[in-house]
Amino acid sequence: MGCQHLRTVWASAVAALAAAATTGAAPLPADPLSQVESLPLPPAPHWVWVNDFAFSHMANGKAMLVDGDSGRFLGELDTGFGAVRIVLSTDGALIYSPETYFSRGTRGTRTDVVTIYDAARLAPVGEIEIPPKRSSNMPMIANAVLTDDGRFLLIYNFNPAQSISVVDTRARTFIGEIDTPGCALAFPTGARAFFSLCADGALLKVRLDDSGRGVAHERTAPLFEVQTNPVTEKAVRRGDTWYFVSYDGTIYSVIIGRDGADLTAGPHWSLTSDSERAQQWRPGGLQQLAVHAGLNRLYAIMHRGGPETHKDPGREVWVYDLDRHARVQKIPMQHDSGSILVSRDAKPLLFSIFIESNILDVYDAASGRHLRTVPDIGTTPTIMVGP
Amino acid sequence: MNRLDKLAEASVRSVARRTSRRSLLASLGALLVGGAAVPLLPIARGAEPPAKGAARNGGADDKAAAKAAALQDPQSCEYWRHCAIDGYLCGCCGGSQHSCPPGTEMSAVTWVGTCHNPVDGLDYVVSYNDCCGKSTCGRCLCNRNERDTPIYIPFQSNDYNWCSGSSKGNVAYHCSTARIVGQAR
């Protein structure tokens, strides 16, 4: 320590004493050691989890938690190679994360697990090993979903054989695989039922027994045209209806009947008018639809471009009444939007991210007013989930 | 500048801003795609309307020459074989348009596109085999989605990490090649 530095320290100490003498205030107490924050449960309705695919360094994906009301970064989970999404338990107390690891970082033995995290401490409390074949793809909500009762976790496999791994979250065990040849992803339709999307536009309906084993498979007739104007995998659900959107912006609905196994095609309608289609308005993005059950609203990221722009971001979110199939609002976006999520509460927020940026935009979902922009959210934010 | 030039300018932004399996940071995109070469609009994208703010004039001859060069440059996103690619170009990572960089492994299965070669006027089936086993290369990221399908139609989808099909069960993705499989008929 040099003389100059010593003089600085003494000068600071003298100044502090003088200040204390002036104000009469007691000096600050020492801070506690090893203090670690924890989060209240259940999660607040305006919290949002943002998945970071970490594309330039895929071995250490993340899930990042942000409070939409304050913009405060609350914490994160490290979710391994090619992280697609986390899944929140129904009561919000636990988080299930399908993860992939290699014994030597990016090489060596591959191990796939579902890590169970305590949602308050954001720390692992359990781990369930699953077959090392979890699909590695651009993150999609349908990569990993819970059955409607929250008990069974369904995880899409692709190597390139296609199947679904079933995990019992109550017993914390891997149950088994359900083969889904020619069909991808999982869309829950009940406590013991889901469907996968097939390459010919059909749905593969699967029923589970109470132990989580697949007991019945049935393929519907093709419901979607897949050659020129396919529906994306980026569907959203409101109650008993799944809403899919095609490249040209046609909404196709799949209505869930009794026991979740009776699926029928509902009405289809367009997000755009004839003149808007002529101007090549269409939806785009990675998580391009959102829904709010209470408001009965569908939200879609819109842009202008040709058929091959189905993954492009947009600068507008168009809002539709799901009963009338009519647009009721246009929300201008502050920045390019590739993924949106609307919180489920009565005063919902609209969240927006884009993989080529690292900001989170927060809007009032009812008025469309931009509330805040949260900076430095990972490196390649992909999709979002909320409580 | 003719209409095609305007459209090409529009594609600078759209190519760099695709949201897909392997997309790039905006700044990186501007540096790698916008700065490395003047991109050329792929033939099949001629119907796309010009983007707001597209450049309007100047250097038409230079741009035409740059476009022609980019179409034949395997390190350019506009290279004719790249019409449905999504990933880091192996030619920028120590490999080439048909070979993997040292120490990596080529995926056995992958997705394919059909691309038009403007030199001989023929269409070719191009296989975008990934090179696997090391961390992401991070150079020359390129994403074009001509005839790209959702992942429930796997073999025309560029949203999968095709290293999932490599022999060692290893999914570490490094870069993507663009191999000619044969002439499309």
Side-chain angles (χ1 to χ4, degrees):
Chain A
M1 183 178 287
C3 290
Q4 177 62 43
H5 187 63
L6 269 177
R7 277 196 293 275
T8 305
V9 170
W10 277 110
S12 299
V14 169
L17 283 171
T22 303
T23 62
L28 294 172
D31 288 323
L33 184 66
S34 300
Q35 186 174 17
V36 179
E37 301 289 342
S38 64
L39 299 167
L41 290 179
H46 285 174
W47 290 2
V48 63
W49 283 97
V50 181
N51 181 75
D52 186 2
F53 192 52
F55 186 45
S56 58
H57 47 94
M58 291 176 69
N60 55 332
K62 291 182 181 185
M64 301 164 289
L65 180 61
V66 179
D67 174 17
D69 285 333
S70 65
R72 185 160 178 259
F73 191 102
L74 299 175
E76 71 172 47
L77 301 172
D78 293 339
T79 49
F81 182 93
V84 287
R85 65 162 297 188
I86 58 168
V87 180
L88 310 182
S89 69
T90 306
D91 64 5
L94 297 171
I95 298 165
Y96 306 110
S97 177
E99 299 172 355
T100 293
Y101 295 97
F102 297 97
S103 58
R104 297 290 181 272
T106 55
R107 58 191 169 87
T109 304
R110 173 180 171 177
T111 305
D112 286 11
V113 295
V114 173
T115 305
I116 305 170
Y117 295 95
D118 177 332
R121 296 187 299 113
L122 301 188
V125 293
E127 181 178 284
I128 304 159
E129 187 162 345
I130 55 176
K133 55 172 71 169
R134 184 180 68 78
S135 180
S136 177
N137 56 260
M138 279 301 289
M140 299 186 187
I141 291 297
N143 269 105
V145 295
L146 286 172
T147 51
D148 281 3
D149 64 345
R151 178 170 169 189
F152 294 109
L153 179 62
L154 311 171
I155 301 162
Y156 174 53
N157 299 321
F158 180 81
N159 75 337
Q162 295 166 294
S163 65
I164 300 290
S165 285
V166 181
V167 167
D168 185 343
T169 63
R170 193 167 72 190
R172 296 190 178 182
T173 58
F174 167 67
I175 298 296
E177 276 181 69
I178 298 171
D179 290 335
T180 59
C183 308
L185 303 167
F187 301 85
T189 55
R192 298 288 176 268
F194 70 93
F195 67 83
S196 295
L197 272 175
C198 306
D200 64 351
L203 308 182
L204 177 66
K205 302 187 294 183
V206 180
R207 291 179 63 88
L208 307 175
D209 64 17
D210 282 340
S211 69
R213 298 196 179 278
V215 291
H217 298 60
E218 186 184 349
R219 269 177 97 113
T220 69
L223 298 185
F224 308 121
E225 191 280 315
V226 296
Q227 293 301 319
T228 58
N229 184 36
V231 297
T232 76
E233 327 83 331
K234 303 158 177 70
V236 293
R237 180 182 173 188
R238 176 179 183 271
D240 65 357
T241 306
W242 277 103
Y243 296 96
F244 290 86
V245 66
S246 64
Y247 286 10
D248 78 348
T250 303
I251 296 289
Y252 293 86
S253 52
V254 174
I255 299 170
I256 306 166
R258 187 173 55 84
D259 296 334
D262 179 24
L263 304 179
T264 54
H268 54 87
W269 48 281
S270 179
L271 296 175
T272 50
S273 66
D274 291 344
S275 62
E276 289 162 347
R277 275 193 295 283
Q279 297 170 51
Q280 294 199 296
W281 280 100
R282 69 177 65 240
L286 190 52
Q287 189 175 16
Q288 54 188 250
L289 298 180
V291 71
H292 189 282
L295 297 176
N296 201 29
R297 296 283 193 265
L298 180 81
Y299 302 74
I301 302 170
M302 303 294 288
H303 72 281
R304 291 176 65 188
E308 69 281 6
T309 65
H310 55 281
K311 297 172 185 171
D312 280 21
R315 281 297 189 108
E316 295 186 19
V317 168
W318 293 4
V319 188
Y320 298 82
D321 182 300
L322 278 172
D323 287 334
R324 295 189 291 119
H325 305 163
R327 187 173 63 223
V328 295
Q329 190 178 8
K330 288 183 178 179
I331 301 177
M333 297 281 102
Q334 293 288 311
H335 304 97
D336 279 342
S337 176
S339 297
I340 53 172
L341 182 76
V342 175
S343 65
R344 297 180 187 180
D345 59 305
K347 294 184 176 178
L349 297 182
L350 167 67
F351 299 103
S352 171
I353 56 174
F354 179 43
I355 191 170
E356 295 177 18
S357 175
N358 66 343
I359 57 173
L360 168 70
D361 276 324
V362 185
Y363 302 82
D364 180 321
S367 69
R369 188 165 63 93
H370 176 250
L371 301 176
R372 61 189 50 82
T373 296
V374 186
D376 300 330
I377 303 299
T379 54
T380 50
T382 51
I383 60 175
M384 296 174 282
V385 296
Chain B
M1 179 181 288
N2 62 28
R3 174 174 164 75
L4 189 61
D5 287 332
K6 290 181 181 178
L7 295 175
E9 288 292 338
S11 79
V12 175
R13 277 162 293 280
S14 57
V15 165
R17 300 178 84 79
R18 287 301 109 74
T19 303
S20 188
R21 178 186 68 158
R22 293 153 196 165
S23 209
L24 71 169
L25 299 172
S27 56
L28 191 63
L31 181 68
L32 294 179
V33 179
V38 178
L40 174 69
L41 192 71
I43 300 299
R45 294 184 53 127
E48 182 172 343
K52 188 168 65 176
R56 287 179 171 77
N57 52 47
D61 291 343
D62 291 346
K63 284 186 169 62
K67 285 189 300 187
L71 263 180
Q72 299 303 320
D73 178 4
Q75 295 194 10
S76 164
C77 192
E78 315 313 311
Y79 184 45
W80 69 270
R81 298 190 192 189
H82 293 161
C83 72
I85 202 169
D86 186 1
Y88 295 100
L89 305 180
C90 288
C92 299
C93 303
S96 72
Q97 67 271 35
H98 53 71
S99 65
C100 286
T104 61
E105 173 191 37
M106 187 176 283
S107 65
V109 292
T110 186
W111 83 102
V112 296
T114 301
C115 303
H116 180 75
N117 180 359
V119 173
D120 61 15
L122 301 177
D123 291 340
Y124 290 88
V125 175
V126 176
S127 175
Y128 299 105
N129 297 68
D130 286 341
C131 297
C132 315
K134 295 190 177 185
S135 187
T136 324
C137 163
R139 303 194 74 232
C140 302
L141 194 140
C142 175
N143 178 206
R144 288 163 54 184
N145 292 304
E146 292 171 33
R147 290 175 286 278
D148 166 68
T149 56
I151 71 170
Y152 61 87
I153 308 171
F155 297 99
Q156 293 166 273
S157 171
N158 63 20
D159 273 346
Y160 279 109
N161 171 0
W162 286 93
C163 291
S164 302
S166 64
S167 62
K168 297 173 184 172
N170 195 336
V171 299
Y173 167 79
H174 188 63
C175 62
S176 297
T177 62
R179 297 172 45 247
I180 291 177
V181 174
Q183 188 180 345
R185 297 179 189 278

